[in-house]
Amino acid sequence: MEPPAEERPADPAASVPSPAAAIRVLYLGGLGRSGTTLLDRLLGELPGAVSLGEVVHLWERGVAGGERCGCGKSFGDCAFWREVGQVAFDGWEHVDIERLRALRAAVDRIRHIPALARGRRLPNAMRERVDAYLSHYVRLYRAVAEVSGARVLIDSSKQASLASCLRWAATGSTGSTERIDLRVLHVVRDSRGVAYSWTKKVRRPEAVAGGEEFMAQWSPVKAAAYWNAENGAFALLARRGVPTMVVRYEEFLREPIASLRRIAEFAGLPGDDAAMAFLAAAGDGSVTARLSANHTASGNPMRFQTGPVLLRRDEEWRTRLEPADRRRVTALTYPLLRRYGYLAGKGAST
């Protein structure tokens, strides 16, 4: 299925020129439970890329909470993140988490997206807050690039509000002297599948506190509302000139090798046979990925998986989502379901 034209720039870098020194960040956006962690892991296997997981949660869950890195060690014991913290901030102890929390509340929320989506200038007060908030991310990205040697950083934070903030670091319109080369991979999954996934009880294996901890659970109606908000916001971001590629999760898993090649081209990563050697296609058409260890800061439990992983579609929602909930979610998300081809035409998944 062809994505909407305004979300398919002919030249991914044409809309927002970036200086050669700018760090390239491929931001994976979309509502949680849409497959971004899997895509993050696969992209991180390509030469020249490094997977960071959900950087938006690094500050609370890693720096403050000491939760587990994708490598299995606690954040404070991970040599990679210790070095990044030293390069970026002279040590994580110099990051003012309380101030960062306040800045996030002031700029990085869904309710701030209309203001962040302004054309060329932000109001002075908001510009100062956005610039202060972004300085943490730009310094972090710069340090990761230096420590890892990667030329493309994969940030699967997902949230449209953070992407809307990062847009200003890409345009250079704030007071910051640092710039990033921002590209957005907008990952869309059928709202019914997403809604069902949010109802499931999923353990958080990265937590270090005693006892059982689980990921958040939402009602289907709440998931539908957020699905609309996040996907609509990423469409708006594309219209503001941020290089954006739309990927339907179901289509990606139908043709993972060809899809990953297209994404690699968009991101500026190699997609030749040598680069894709970690993917193996079987005679029955199935594809298995061999995943190596990583340093993802946050994400769903599959970020801890290594070794062979079969790439397959999760269609459990078709039989497990209650019929009444399926009807409600379909009605609430109908316009965007239709826009992304889930209700009619080629590739429909009704």
Side-chain angles (χ1 to χ4, degrees):
M1 184 195 75
E2 287 290 308
E6 68 271 21
E7 297 177 54
R8 193 179 66 249
D11 180 353
S15 300
V16 185
S18 296
I23 298 299
R24 180 168 297 174
V25 177
L26 181 64
Y27 189 95
L28 274 55
L31 186 59
R33 317 294 175 90
S34 294
T36 52
T37 300
L38 174 60
L39 277 164
D40 183 357
R41 295 293 311 281
L42 295 175
L43 287 162
E45 295 294 331
L46 296 175
V50 60
S51 295
L52 303 181
E54 299 171 8
V55 177
V56 69
H57 297 306
L58 175 147
W59 318 98
E60 291 282 356
R61 298 178 184 175
V63 179
E67 293 189 358
R68 291 169 60 203
C69 169
C71 69
K73 295 182 179 180
S74 69
F75 187 85
D77 290 334
C78 174
F80 173 81
W81 285 114
R82 280 205 311 271
E83 186 174 358
V84 168
Q86 193 62 41
V87 172
F89 306 105
D90 292 326
W92 294 111
E93 66 273 14
H94 293 117
V95 177
D96 187 339
I97 296 295
E98 289 299 326
R99 180 169 181 261
L100 193 55
R101 286 188 186 117
L103 288 169
R104 185 181 179 193
V107 298
D108 185 1
R109 292 289 187 269
I110 289 177
R111 62 180 176 272
H112 299 306
I113 289 176
L116 292 167
R118 292 171 64 101
R120 294 182 178 275
R121 281 186 67 83
L122 290 169
N124 288 339
M126 188 170 198
R127 186 182 67 217
E128 291 174 4
R129 292 192 293 268
V130 168
D131 197 38
Y133 184 61
L134 289 177
S135 68
H136 294 79
Y137 283 86
V138 175
R139 290 171 70 179
L140 177 71
Y141 291 148
R142 177 71 62 184
V144 167
E146 180 179 329
V147 171
S148 68
R151 64 176 182 272
V152 178
L153 279 53
I154 315 297
D155 182 347
S156 59
S157 290
K158 295 191 291 290
Q159 298 175 6
S161 55
L162 176 55
S164 298
C165 290
L166 290 172
R167 167 189 167 229
W168 293 96
T171 63
S173 299
T174 66
S176 174
T177 57
E178 291 276 8
R179 297 275 293 278
I180 64 172
D181 176 359
L182 178 66
R183 304 185 182 194
V184 169
L185 185 67
H186 177 188
V187 184
V188 180
R189 183 184 177 193
D190 191 306
S191 60
R192 283 80 57 98
V194 172
Y196 173 69
S197 184
W198 276 101
T199 68
K200 296 167 71 173
K201 192 173 185 179
V202 180
R203 188 175 180 272
R204 294 186 65 240
E206 69 268 43
V208 295
E212 294 286 302
E213 292 191 33
F214 297 90
M215 298 176 71
Q217 290 176 272
W218 289 351
S219 71
V221 168
K222 181 176 181 179
Y226 276 94
W227 189 89
N228 281 333
E230 290 291 327
N231 287 307
F234 277 106
L236 175 60
L237 199 64
R239 290 197 292 271
R240 287 290 180 263
V242 176
T244 300
M245 179 179 183
V246 179
V247 174
R248 289 200 334 173
Y249 181 63
E250 296 84 358
E251 288 191 346
F252 176 85
L253 289 179
R254 188 176 296 124
E255 295 184 316
I257 295 177
S259 297
L260 196 63
R261 287 190 199 279
R262 290 191 291 269
I263 296 169
E265 181 180 5
F266 171 74
L269 290 166
D272 56 21
D273 289 344
M276 307 280 283
F278 69 97
L279 295 175
D284 61 359
S286 64
V287 175
T288 298
R290 183 166 292 278
L291 301 179
S292 56
N294 66 89
H295 292 291
T296 50
S298 185
N300 78 31
M302 76 87 51
R303 71 191 181 93
F304 294 106
Q305 287 186 249
T306 58
V309 175
L310 179 65
L311 305 184
R312 59 183 180 82
R313 295 174 65 177
D314 179 3
E315 299 289 314
E316 189 179 17
W317 67 269
R318 294 184 180 277
T319 56
R320 300 296 296 275
L321 184 63
E322 292 292 336
D325 287 329
R326 178 168 176 163
R327 289 192 295 271
R328 289 189 191 99
V329 173
T330 301
L332 290 168
T333 60
Y334 185 89
L336 286 180
L337 275 176
R338 191 170 185 85
R339 174 186 176 89
Y340 291 117
Y342 286 107
L343 295 179
K346 183 180 178 181
S349 59
T350 52

